Amino acid sequence: MLKAAVLVSGGGTNLQAIIDAIDSGVITNTKIELVISNNKNAFALERAAKHGIPARCISPRDYNSREQFNEELLAAIESRDIDLVVLAGCLVVIPEILIRRYPNRIINIHPSLIPSFCGTGFYGLKVHEEALKRGVKITGATVHFVDSGTDTGPIILQKAVEVKAGDTPKELQLRVMQEAEWKILPEAINLIANGKIEVVDNKAILK
Ligand code: GRF
Protein backbone atom coordinates (compact mmCIF):
# COMPACT_ATOMS: atom_id res chain seq x y z
CA MET A 1 0.00 0.00 0.00
CA LEU A 2 1.47 3.34 -1.10
CA LYS A 3 1.32 5.89 1.70
CA ALA A 4 0.90 9.41 0.30
CA ALA A 5 1.22 12.85 1.83
CA VAL A 6 -0.55 15.57 -0.18
CA LEU A 7 0.71 19.16 0.11
CA VAL A 8 -1.80 21.89 -0.71
CA SER A 9 -2.20 25.68 -0.53
CA GLY A 10 -5.64 26.50 -1.88
CA GLY A 11 -8.99 25.16 -3.04
CA GLY A 12 -7.85 21.54 -3.13
CA THR A 13 -9.60 20.49 -6.35
CA ASN A 14 -6.60 18.32 -7.22
CA LEU A 15 -6.70 16.79 -3.74
CA GLN A 16 -10.41 16.12 -4.28
CA ALA A 17 -9.65 14.44 -7.59
CA ILE A 18 -7.23 12.11 -5.79
CA ILE A 19 -9.71 11.36 -3.00
CA ASP A 20 -12.45 10.62 -5.53
CA ALA A 21 -10.12 8.47 -7.64
CA ILE A 22 -9.22 6.33 -4.61
CA ASP A 23 -12.90 6.00 -3.64
CA SER A 24 -13.85 4.95 -7.19
CA GLY A 25 -10.94 2.54 -7.64
CA VAL A 26 -9.23 4.58 -10.38
CA ILE A 27 -6.31 4.71 -7.97
CA THR A 28 -5.51 1.39 -6.28
CA ASN A 29 -3.05 0.34 -3.61
CA THR A 30 -2.89 3.88 -2.18
CA LYS A 31 -3.82 5.66 1.04
CA ILE A 32 -3.60 9.40 1.73
CA GLU A 33 -2.00 9.39 5.18
CA LEU A 34 -1.70 13.15 5.62
CA VAL A 35 -2.63 16.48 4.06
CA ILE A 36 -0.44 19.48 4.82
CA SER A 37 -1.24 23.09 3.91
CA ASN A 38 0.91 26.18 4.35
CA ASN A 39 -2.34 28.19 4.32
CA LYS A 40 -4.60 27.70 7.34
CA ASN A 41 -7.60 28.94 5.33
CA ALA A 42 -7.13 26.53 2.46
CA PHE A 43 -10.43 24.85 1.55
CA ALA A 44 -8.30 21.80 0.83
CA LEU A 45 -8.04 21.30 4.61
CA GLU A 46 -11.84 21.11 4.83
CA ARG A 47 -11.90 18.56 2.01
CA ALA A 48 -9.42 16.41 3.94
CA ALA A 49 -11.34 16.71 7.22
CA LYS A 50 -14.59 15.74 5.47
CA HIS A 51 -12.94 12.50 4.36
CA GLY A 52 -11.38 11.80 7.74
CA ILE A 53 -7.86 12.39 6.44
CA PRO A 54 -5.41 13.78 9.04
CA ALA A 55 -4.63 17.35 8.01
CA ARG A 56 -2.56 20.12 9.41
CA CYS A 57 -1.28 23.58 8.62
CA ILE A 58 2.48 24.02 8.62
CA SER A 59 3.26 27.58 7.58
CA PRO A 60 6.62 29.35 7.31
CA ARG A 61 4.95 32.27 9.11
CA ASP A 62 4.68 30.17 12.28
CA TYR A 63 8.42 29.58 12.59
CA ASN A 64 11.34 31.82 13.50
CA SER A 65 13.30 30.73 10.45
CA ARG A 66 12.81 28.99 7.11
CA GLU A 67 15.12 26.25 8.34
CA GLN A 68 12.78 25.55 11.28
CA PHE A 69 9.80 25.38 8.90
CA ASN A 70 11.71 23.06 6.58
CA GLU A 71 12.62 20.72 9.44
CA GLU A 72 9.04 20.68 10.76
CA LEU A 73 7.69 19.88 7.29
CA LEU A 74 10.16 17.02 6.86
CA ALA A 75 9.45 15.68 10.37
CA ALA A 76 5.68 15.72 9.75
CA ILE A 77 6.14 13.68 6.56
CA GLU A 78 8.67 11.26 8.02
CA SER A 79 6.46 10.66 11.07
CA ARG A 80 3.90 8.94 8.80
CA ASP A 81 6.34 6.68 6.96
CA ILE A 82 5.34 8.31 3.64
CA ASP A 83 6.26 6.71 0.30
CA LEU A 84 5.14 9.52 -2.04
CA VAL A 85 4.76 13.27 -1.53
CA VAL A 86 2.18 14.82 -3.88
CA LEU A 87 2.24 18.60 -4.51
CA ALA A 88 -1.38 19.38 -5.41
CA GLY A 89 -1.76 23.11 -5.88
CA CYS A 90 1.12 23.62 -3.44
CA LEU A 91 2.70 27.06 -3.62
CA VAL A 92 5.46 26.56 -1.06
CA VAL A 93 9.08 26.19 -2.17
CA ILE A 94 9.92 22.59 -1.33
CA PRO A 95 13.03 22.46 0.86
CA GLU A 96 16.18 20.84 -0.45
CA ILE A 97 16.29 18.57 2.63
CA LEU A 98 12.93 17.09 1.60
CA ILE A 99 13.97 16.66 -2.02
CA ARG A 100 17.18 14.89 -0.97
CA ARG A 101 15.27 12.66 1.44
CA TYR A 102 12.68 11.67 -1.20
CA PRO A 103 14.49 11.45 -4.55
CA ASN A 104 11.97 10.74 -7.34
CA ARG A 105 9.30 10.32 -4.67
CA ILE A 106 7.85 13.83 -4.81
CA ILE A 107 5.50 14.67 -7.70
CA ASN A 108 3.94 17.98 -8.79
CA ILE A 109 1.05 18.98 -11.06
CA HIS A 110 1.86 21.99 -13.24
CA PRO A 111 -0.87 23.66 -15.35
CA SER A 112 1.03 23.79 -18.64
CA LEU A 113 2.84 21.49 -21.07
CA ILE A 114 6.35 21.75 -19.61
CA PRO A 115 8.79 23.19 -20.82
CA SER A 116 6.30 25.89 -21.85
CA PHE A 117 5.10 28.44 -19.30
CA CYS A 118 6.93 27.06 -16.30
CA GLY A 119 9.72 27.95 -13.93
CA THR A 120 10.01 30.72 -11.38
CA GLY A 121 6.91 32.93 -11.23
CA PHE A 122 4.75 30.60 -13.36
CA TYR A 123 1.98 29.31 -11.10
CA GLY A 124 -1.83 29.41 -10.92
CA LEU A 125 -3.58 31.94 -13.17
CA LYS A 126 -0.30 33.52 -14.33
CA VAL A 127 0.45 30.39 -16.37
CA HIS A 128 -2.79 30.73 -18.32
CA GLU A 129 -2.41 34.50 -18.74
CA GLU A 130 0.97 33.92 -20.40
CA ALA A 131 -0.38 31.13 -22.61
CA LEU A 132 -3.18 33.42 -23.84
CA LYS A 133 -0.74 36.31 -24.30
CA ARG A 134 1.48 34.07 -26.48
CA GLY A 135 -1.52 32.89 -28.45
CA VAL A 136 -0.87 29.14 -28.17
CA LYS A 137 -3.64 26.92 -29.60
CA ILE A 138 -2.88 24.00 -27.31
CA THR A 139 -1.89 24.03 -23.65
CA GLY A 140 -2.41 21.41 -20.95
CA ALA A 141 -0.95 20.01 -17.75
CA THR A 142 2.12 18.06 -16.67
CA VAL A 143 2.85 15.73 -13.76
CA HIS A 144 6.56 15.51 -13.04
CA PHE A 145 8.94 14.37 -10.35
CA VAL A 146 10.31 17.21 -8.25
CA ASP A 147 14.03 17.84 -8.28
CA SER A 148 16.02 20.79 -6.99
CA GLY A 149 14.98 22.96 -9.93
CA THR A 150 11.61 24.63 -10.57
CA ASP A 151 9.37 22.42 -12.74
CA THR A 152 12.50 20.68 -14.07
CA GLY A 153 12.19 17.09 -12.86
CA PRO A 154 11.43 14.01 -15.03
CA ILE A 155 8.05 14.30 -16.77
CA ILE A 156 5.66 11.46 -15.89
CA LEU A 157 2.44 12.34 -17.76
CA GLN A 158 1.12 15.21 -19.87
CA LYS A 159 -2.31 15.93 -21.32
CA ALA A 160 -3.13 18.53 -23.99
CA VAL A 161 -6.09 20.89 -23.78
CA GLU A 162 -7.46 23.11 -26.57
CA VAL A 163 -7.35 26.88 -26.12
CA LYS A 164 -10.66 28.29 -27.37
CA ALA A 165 -11.17 31.68 -29.05
CA GLY A 166 -12.11 34.28 -26.45
CA ASP A 167 -10.95 32.22 -23.47
CA THR A 168 -10.34 34.24 -20.34
CA PRO A 169 -7.50 33.06 -18.07
CA LYS A 170 -10.07 31.75 -15.58
CA GLU A 171 -11.97 29.85 -18.27
CA LEU A 172 -8.76 28.30 -19.58
CA GLN A 173 -7.58 27.42 -16.03
CA LEU A 174 -10.84 25.60 -15.32
CA ARG A 175 -10.70 23.67 -18.62
CA VAL A 176 -7.09 22.64 -17.93
CA MET A 177 -8.06 21.49 -14.45
CA GLN A 178 -11.17 19.60 -15.61
CA GLU A 179 -9.72 18.02 -18.76
CA ALA A 180 -6.14 17.48 -17.67
CA GLU A 181 -5.04 18.06 -14.07
CA TRP A 182 -7.83 16.12 -12.39
CA LYS A 183 -7.15 13.18 -14.72
CA ILE A 184 -3.37 12.90 -15.01
CA LEU A 185 -2.52 13.50 -11.33
CA PRO A 186 -4.61 10.51 -10.15
CA GLU A 187 -3.34 8.46 -13.12
CA ALA A 188 0.28 9.22 -12.22
CA ILE A 189 -0.28 8.27 -8.57
CA ASN A 190 -1.89 4.99 -9.65
CA LEU A 191 1.03 4.18 -11.96
CA ILE A 192 3.55 4.85 -9.19
CA ALA A 193 1.52 2.98 -6.58
CA ASN A 194 1.52 -0.09 -8.85
CA GLY A 195 5.20 0.04 -9.74
CA LYS A 196 4.68 1.12 -13.37
CA ILE A 197 7.08 4.10 -13.40
CA GLU A 198 10.86 3.91 -13.45
CA VAL A 199 13.33 6.80 -13.78
CA VAL A 200 16.18 6.01 -16.19
CA ASP A 201 18.74 8.64 -17.21
CA ASN A 202 16.51 11.27 -15.58
CA LYS A 203 13.54 10.25 -17.76
CA ALA A 204 10.36 8.75 -16.28
CA ILE A 205 9.68 5.50 -18.16
CA LEU A 206 6.38 3.63 -18.22
CA LYS A 207 7.25 -0.05 -17.43
C1 GRF B 1 -4.29 24.73 -10.06
O1 GRF B 1 -4.28 25.61 -11.18
C2 GRF B 1 -3.10 23.82 -10.13
O2 GRF B 1 -2.67 23.57 -11.45
C3 GRF B 1 -2.04 24.60 -9.47
O3 GRF B 1 -2.72 25.18 -8.35
C4 GRF B 1 -4.05 25.52 -8.77
C5 GRF B 1 -5.09 25.23 -7.70
O4 GRF B 1 -5.12 23.86 -7.48
N1 GRF B 1 -0.92 23.77 -9.12
P1 GRF B 1 -6.11 23.22 -6.36
O5 GRF B 1 -7.54 23.55 -6.74
O6 GRF B 1 -5.77 23.82 -5.01
O7 GRF B 1 -5.84 21.75 -6.44
Side-chain angles (χ1 to χ4, degrees), residues 8-15 44 47 87-91 108-111 123-125 128 173 176-177 181-182:
V8 298
S9 295
T13 63
N14 279 288
L15 168 66
R47 294 180 191 270
L87 309 185
C90 176
L91 298 179
N108 181 49
I109 177 80
H110 182 75
Y123 57 86
L125 213 51
H128 306 291
Q173 179 180 48
V176 168
M177 292 165 99
E181 296 178 36
W182 300 344

Side-chain angles (χ1 to χ4, degrees), residues 1-6 14-35 51 53 84 86 182-183 185-187 189-190 193-194:
M1 177 71 75
L2 184 99
K3 294 180 180 177
V6 183
N14 279 288
L15 168 66
Q16 191 65 54
I18 299 166
I19 291 169
D20 295 347
I22 291 171
D23 286 353
S24 67
V26 166
I27 296 177
T28 60
N29 195 30
T30 300
K31 185 181 179 205
I32 302 174
E33 290 284 338
L34 178 65
V35 169
H51 279 76
I53 299 169
L84 182 69
V86 180
W182 300 344
K183 294 182 186 305
L185 186 54
E187 186 181 344
I189 293 168
N190 187 56
N194 291 287

Side-chain angles (χ1 to χ4, degrees), residues 8-170:
V8 298
S9 295
T13 63
N14 279 288
L15 168 66
Q16 191 65 54
I18 299 166
I19 291 169
D20 295 347
I22 291 171
D23 286 353
S24 67
V26 166
I27 296 177
T28 60
N29 195 30
T30 300
K31 185 181 179 205
I32 302 174
E33 290 284 338
L34 178 65
V35 169
I36 300 173
S37 174
N38 62 301
N39 169 8
K40 66 181 186 302
N41 300 316
F43 188 64
L45 290 171
E46 290 187 42
R47 294 180 191 270
K50 186 178 163 195
H51 279 76
I53 299 169
R56 57 181 289 201
C57 175
I58 302 178
S59 169
R61 295 189 187 142
D62 298 335
Y63 296 90
N64 295 328
S65 71
R66 192 67 188 214
E67 289 67 29
Q68 277 188 334
F69 162 76
N70 291 348
E71 284 161 14
E72 182 65 24
L73 181 62
L74 178 59
I77 291 169
E78 289 192 316
S79 69
R80 296 269 176 162
D81 191 23
I82 295 301
D83 301 302
L84 182 69
V85 179
V86 180
L87 309 185
C90 176
L91 298 179
V92 158
V93 174
I94 300 305
E96 191 62 30
I97 53 170
L98 185 60
I99 294 166
R100 278 201 304 274
R101 176 74 182 70
Y102 290 88
N104 291 327
R105 290 200 293 151
I106 305 173
I107 63 173
N108 181 49
I109 177 80
H110 182 75
S112 78
L113 295 175
I114 288 173
S116 297
F117 311 112
C118 66
T120 305
F122 283 93
Y123 57 86
L125 213 51
K126 167 83 173 173
V127 173
H128 306 291
E129 289 166 352
E130 292 302 310
L132 290 169
K133 194 186 293 181
R134 182 64 186 81
V136 296
K137 304 306 177 190
I138 295 289
T139 185
T142 302
V143 181
H144 63 93
F145 285 111
V146 173
D147 63 9
S148 52
T150 304
D151 303 326
T152 52
I155 291 172
I156 302 167
L157 291 176
Q158 294 187 297
K159 187 164 177 52
V161 174
E162 182 190 4
V163 180
K164 294 186 174 174
D167 267 342
T168 64
K170 272 277 185 197

